[in-house]
Amino acid sequence: VEVAYPKSGLPVNVTLEAFNPCIPFDSKNSSYPAIIFNYTVTNPSAYPVQVTLLNSQQNLAGWNGQSEITDDVMDRNYGGNSNIMLSLKNMVAIDMSNTLVDTFHNSNGHIANAVLTEDGDTVSTMLQFDSVRVMWENFISSRGLPGQGSEGLSPHGKTWNGALALTKEIGAGETKVFTFILAWHFPHRYQDWTQAAFGINSDSKSKWYLGNQYANFFPSITQVLEGLRSDIDFLTKNTRNFRDAMFNSTLPWQLIDSAAGRISVARSPTSMWLGDGRFYAFEGCNTTAGCCPLNCTHVWNYEMAIARLWPDVERTMRDVEFLNGQLCPNFQMMSRVTVPLDLRRWFSFLSAPGYNPGQASTAACADGEIGGVLKVYREVKMGASKDWFDLMWPGVKGVLNRWMTDLDQVDPKTKQHLGVIPGAQPNTYDCAIYGVNTFIGSLYLCALKAGAAMALLQGDKLLAEKYSQRFTVGTANLDKECFPNGKWYTQVVTKNVEILSDSTFIDCLLGQWWSYVLNLGDVLPKEHCVSTCDYIMQNNHVKSFDPDLQYPRKFCTENDSGLFVARWAGSPPKTGMLYTSEAAWSGLEHEFAGLCIYQNQVGIGLQVLEETRQKHDGWRRSPWNEVECGDHYSRPMSAFQLFDAASGFVWEMVHEGGLDITFDPRIDKHTFRGFFSAQKGWGQYIQTIDETNITGTAEVEVMFGALPITVLYLPAFDTFGKTVSVTLNGRSVKHTMTQGPHGLAVSFLNRVAVEIDGSAHSFGRLVVKVSE
């Protein structure tokens, strides 16, 4: 967050930069429990001035996070609060705690109000006070802050505030930075939501201990502060670089804001990195708790941000799914998980009275289950180790085998499987759909392609061929069954409940979107997918929502434009699938927009994104909180894949850890700059090319980590008979150049990976220059 303070009445200019360290591929340093406030103060006068900035904070230790705090410092959970001063190297802090709270209570922890210091600075404090007015009168007086303030522990029902002030002398025309830090350390997290729906009927007076991962990294508040002080330059530089990599771009504003803004969900109460080192999440949250626990497979089927920024963290979700009891012995995957993981698993209750859900129950959703296969392949492509992949592989094969054997339709005449799913398909719309459809069918086809790719990586060519053969049969049959009108994909209705029938359904090509994400190509004929998206935009779009036409939930007003989840030619049928008469959730809009951009329907994609951002413009709704079943909902993190869709960035793994990489911008290809991330490196791709597509430059700039490249494909360049030079950090690189159906291909000698190491230079830069 950046703030420019009004100049009126101030003799100095003041701006604020506030951030929590956020560095892709550096999960530990991105987990600091702290906010850094950098106040930049400039003295525009011809004379030196003395400037003092003050920061105050309430001691929240003991508060339950929900009850109302009255009279500034009063709450029934307070009492025994104590603020003490810590003098560390180049830092002064007020350490706030509560001496009366039980040692392992979740509200027992520390808060620190800290400031970084340098030679010549002066720090003053008022460690304990209950009146902001009294503190302020001291601050503006000639005597300044008094030091201790109130003595002793706070009485029952009351806490203390604490303030510290930093004074610097700023010369004429000089600029100085005041860095304040708000840090916290509450290591004791407990399972405080009900798990009764999953068979865990524990005593309401008992809470399972979960802990927080950051407490494993930083065992005390002092270690949090000392780590921040020691690494402040690294943390600040790389957080700013990440921001700039996303926003210093030629991409349209609505695409950048949609993709970058959804990262905030990882910082919200929706998300938890627990003490066992694994990442868990609700679907969303509200003001007092998370909603819809936990690790919901079908909602998190859409999330891309954490997978692309902290792949080591994302992999722990696959660990839970495939190795820790979310996957049943019959390879059916439960939609949710209970914690801690050593509790009895949900599936073990399913044969008990009242727990047998049947094939149509959302206890195990088809889309989330088959999506697990896709997510494993994504994690492999994002650099998961061979050992990790080997652990996942039996579960992946088991899921695919169950689908191919038990769920895949059999031709009654030939007894051959048809590659389509006709039966009950429970899904993220909180119901089961019946009959062949492209919503679940395209996910199945994509999983078959992903399975074939993974089988080849595992050295099992026969299994890869088996998956590929089923895909070939399935894509033909799915297209034939679901494209009878020649305009858009529909559902084959076999049971008149929760139907899509001949509606235009925004989510009908989820598997095709996933296939583009994984660089697996088309799962259905591209021209039919393009036509489907055209008709979805034509039929589902409204310039002004009528609240009376939205049910069961009304998300939009007449001031909003956008898409419905599904539309029929007439009134929606009474048996229409649940939620299809709602305004499209933003997570679906991001996915649909990305699909359109992948298919070069850029105009549709950008219009959808612009209208989504207008709905969250900061006046109508928060730009940082996209709501579905709860605030800070996880599905909208589908937006992060928009960066790849716009830049045409894909990669394939080759021998010795190298990557064959393609950049083929779909937006402003002649002057392009945009963000990318892959495996262990992130940065920007910059392309300038003349209008004839003959001369120009392509630059891969790694701003953090490393990116091993064996072949760089640049489809935008027509280089036949032209001169190509390649440099790495300013030095020539041996290479060969070919021109093929995918444009210019720059290969490095003997296909040995070229390491673009962003840590060895300011940035790592691989530059390809094409000239006459």
Side-chain angles (χ1 to χ4, degrees):
V1 176
E2 295 179 345
V3 178
Y5 289 90
K7 297 180 181 180
S8 177
L10 286 177
V12 294
N13 301 327
V14 182
T15 61
L16 167 64
E17 171 196 57
F19 65 94
N20 173 257
C22 186
I23 306 169
F25 302 139
D26 190 345
S27 54
K28 177 181 177 181
N29 281 318
S30 297
S31 71
Y32 266 106
I35 304 171
I36 298 169
F37 301 87
N38 288 322
Y39 293 90
T40 300
V41 182
T42 299
N43 174 15
S45 74
Y47 307 96
V49 295
Q50 196 174 71
V51 176
T52 302
L53 297 186
L54 176 145
N55 195 52
S56 66
Q57 171 64 40
Q58 184 161 117
N59 181 341
L60 297 172
W63 183 48
N64 64 9
Q66 298 181 18
S67 58
E68 182 181 0
I69 298 172
T70 61
D71 296 329
D72 294 336
V73 292
M74 305 301 293
D75 181 82
R76 65 180 184 274
N77 298 289
Y78 283 150
N81 296 79
S82 173
N83 299 346
I84 63 173
M85 188 166 75
L86 293 178
S87 294
L88 307 172
K89 181 180 180 181
N90 299 326
M91 175 183 281
V92 174
I94 301 176
D95 179 8
M96 302 176 171
S97 62
N98 188 310
T99 61
L100 299 183
V101 176
D102 290 344
T103 301
F104 293 102
H105 196 274
N106 62 351
S107 67
N108 185 18
H110 292 253
I111 298 171
N113 179 8
V115 66
L116 298 183
T117 61
E118 55 189 6
D119 290 345
D121 290 349
T122 302
V123 176
S124 58
T125 66
M126 191 169 183
L127 295 180
Q128 299 188 157
F129 63 91
D130 56 11
S131 171
V132 174
R133 180 183 59 81
V134 172
M135 180 275 292
W136 185 254
E137 289 175 350
N138 277 278
F139 176 60
I140 63 176
S141 71
S142 59
R143 60 184 180 273
L145 295 180
Q148 174 62 40
S150 300
E151 298 283 347
L153 303 179
S154 67
H156 177 72
K158 182 178 181 179
T159 189
W160 301 123
N161 300 319
L164 51 75
L166 176 66
T167 301
K168 292 177 180 284
E169 184 166 307
I170 305 178
E174 190 178 14
T175 296
K176 289 191 176 182
V177 177
F178 296 63
T179 298
F180 290 88
I181 295 170
L182 173 63
W184 58 92
H185 192 269
F186 288 82
H188 309 303
R189 181 192 287 267
Y190 293 83
Q191 174 262 315
D192 56 2
W193 58 91
T194 179
Q195 300 187 117
F198 318 120
I200 309 299
N201 292 300
S202 57
D203 185 342
S204 62
K205 297 178 182 179
S206 300
K207 304 295 182 184
W208 298 104
Y209 189 86
L210 302 176
N212 284 311
Q213 173 71 342
Y214 73 72
N216 295 329
F217 295 144
F218 315 107
S220 69
I221 189 67
T222 302
Q223 287 171 281
V224 172
L225 293 172
E226 290 181 332
L228 288 166
R229 179 203 63 210
S230 299
D231 298 335
I232 191 72
D233 291 340
F234 174 87
L235 299 171
T236 302
K237 180 187 75 171
N238 286 294
T239 300
R240 288 173 179 167
N241 286 345
F242 177 40
R243 173 202 62 192
D244 294 344
M246 293 188 292
F247 285 92
N248 182 19
S249 171
T250 61
L251 290 171
W253 68 271
Q254 64 267 43
L255 188 149
I256 298 172
D257 281 359
S258 295
R262 292 333 97 216
I263 303 169
S264 63
V265 177
R267 297 296 200 228
S268 76
T270 296
S271 303
M272 302 178 290
W273 197 6
L274 297 183
D276 66 358
R278 299 181 181 94
F279 181 84
Y280 302 86
F282 300 94
E283 292 183 25
C285 62
N286 55 45
T287 56
T288 60
C291 69
C292 310
L294 197 63
N295 287 26
C296 178
T297 59
H298 53 83
V299 171
W300 280 79
N301 234 15
Y302 297 75
E303 175 270 319
M304 291 290 167
I306 295 172
R308 297 300 303 277
L309 298 176
W310 299 285
D312 59 324
V313 176
E314 179 75 32
R315 284 195 295 272
T316 68
M317 297 187 82
R318 306 292 83 73
D319 294 342
V320 172
E321 288 171 356
F322 284 90
L323 303 179
N324 288 280
Q326 207 164 346
L327 189 65
C328 305
N330 70 341
F331 296 104
Q332 188 176 23
M333 184 175 289
M334 305 308 294
S335 295
R336 304 176 191 276
V337 69
T338 51
V339 289
L341 294 179
D342 52 6
L343 292 179
R344 183 177 171 184
R345 296 295 85 201
W346 185 16
F347 67 76
S348 70
F349 292 97
L350 296 183
S351 60
Y355 283 101
N356 191 350
Q359 183 60 45
S361 171
T362 54
C365 285
D367 49 351
E369 178 177 300
I370 200 67
V373 173
L374 307 180
K375 286 176 269 192
V376 168
Y377 185 46
R378 178 187 62 191
E379 272 60 279
V380 170
K381 293 196 69 173
M382 281 300 295
S385 69
K386 181 62 164 58
D387 289 343
W388 182 88
F389 184 21
D390 289 345
L391 290 173
M392 297 296 115
W393 185 230
V396 168
K397 290 190 294 183
V399 170
L400 284 172
N401 182 67
R402 191 177 82 85
W403 278 60
M404 295 172 71
T405 303
D406 299 343
L407 307 184
D408 198 319
Q409 185 173 358
V410 176
D411 187 314
K413 294 181 180 180
T414 66
K415 308 301 181 184
Q416 299 296 311
H417 287 280
L418 298 178
V420 295
I421 309 299
Q425 298 152 66
N427 60 73
T428 197
Y429 292 84
D430 293 337
C431 65
I433 186 173
Y434 293 80
V436 176
N437 64 88
T438 58
F439 170 42
I440 302 299
S442 65
L443 284 169
Y444 177 38
L445 292 178
C446 185
L448 289 169
K449 296 195 81 169
M454 286 188 279
L456 290 176
L457 291 174
Q458 288 285 348
D460 194 336
K461 294 182 180 180
L462 290 177
L463 185 58
E465 181 62 25
K466 179 181 178 180
Y467 293 151
S468 296
Q469 289 175 353
R470 185 66 60 88
F471 167 81
T472 300
V473 171
T475 185
N477 286 325
L478 187 63
D479 185 64
K480 179 181 178 181
E481 293 285 335
C482 295
F483 203 72
N485 63 18
K487 296 177 180 179
W488 64 83
Y489 283 110
T490 61
Q491 174 206 8
V492 178
V493 177
T494 59
K495 190 173 183 179
N496 193 26
V497 294
E498 309 294 354
I499 67 171
L500 291 167
S501 61
D502 60 351
S503 68
T504 43
F505 174 44
I506 190 173
D507 214 10
C508 69
L509 291 171
L510 177 59
Q512 183 58 75
W513 174 73
W514 257 106
S515 193
Y516 288 141
V517 167
L518 297 174
N519 194 31
L520 292 171
D522 299 326
V523 298
L524 289 164
K526 189 167 188 175
E527 63 272 18
H528 293 178
C529 294
V530 169
S531 179
T532 296
C533 290
D534 281 337
Y535 277 101
I536 290 171
M537 191 65 185
Q538 176 181 309
N539 297 344
N540 296 31
H541 184 266
V542 293
K543 292 183 178 179
S544 175
F545 278 100
D546 182 347
D548 291 338
L549 297 180
Q550 301 172 59
Y551 58 88
R553 297 173 295 190
K554 303 180 188 300
F555 288 115
C556 291
T557 72
E558 62 275 5
N559 295 319
D560 299 317
S561 302
L563 298 166
F564 275 94
V565 173
R567 299 303 274 170
W568 283 262
S571 298
K574 293 182 179 180
T575 55
M577 192 170 77
L578 186 61
Y579 306 139
T580 48
S581 289
E582 294 183 349
W585 319 323
S586 63
L588 302 183
E589 291 178 311
H590 299 319
E591 169 225 330
F592 177 72
L595 173 63
C596 290
I597 293 171
Y598 273 119
Q599 296 178 159
N600 291 311
Q601 297 168 285
V602 174
I604 293 176
L606 293 182
Q607 180 182 345
V608 170
L609 294 176
E610 182 171 357
E611 291 173 345
T612 304
R613 298 274 50 83
Q614 288 170 348
K615 290 194 282 277
H616 299 85
D617 61 1
W619 291 97
R620 283 178 268 186
R621 300 169 189 86
S622 168
W624 311 108
N625 180 13
E626 297 187 4
V627 176
E628 194 182 308
C629 179
D631 294 296
H632 302 287
Y633 206 71
S634 50
R635 199 187 314 267
M637 286 190 282
S638 60
F640 200 77
Q641 201 62 31
L642 291 165
F643 283 128
D644 282 4
S647 66
F649 175 53
V650 295
W651 72 96
E652 292 301 326
M653 300 170 291
V654 294
H655 68 284
E656 297 181 2
L659 303 177
D660 286 357
I661 285 178
T662 300
F663 285 102
D664 189 14
R666 296 182 173 92
I667 300 175
D668 298 331
K669 73 173 184 178
H670 292 99
T671 305
F672 179 88
R673 177 186 288 266
F675 176 83
F676 75 86
S677 66
Q679 292 206 351
K680 297 180 181 179
W682 55 266
Q684 286 194 316
Y685 175 68
I686 304 104
Q687 177 175 293
T688 57
I689 185 171
D690 68 8
E691 292 298 325
T692 65
N693 300 332
I694 294 177
T695 63
T697 60
E699 181 176 342
V700 182
E701 182 177 73
V702 172
M703 304 170 77
F704 187 91
L707 195 65
I709 302 177
T710 55
V711 181
L712 177 62
Y713 293 100
L714 302 170
F717 285 86
D718 177 9
T719 63
F720 186 79
K722 307 302 175 183
T723 301
V724 177
S725 64
V726 182
T727 60
L728 175 62
N729 299 322
R731 297 183 178 182
S732 295
V733 178
K734 292 183 179 181
H735 66 279
T736 59
M737 186 273 288
T738 57
Q739 185 72 24
H742 300 294
L744 172 65
V746 181
S747 302
F748 299 102
L749 189 62
N750 298 324
R751 291 178 61 85
V752 174
V754 175
E755 291 284 341
I756 305 176
D757 190 345
S759 62
H761 308 272
S762 56
F763 294 138
R765 290 183 174 90
L766 180 71
V767 180
V768 177
K769 184 175 182 180
V770 182
S771 56
E772 295 284 358

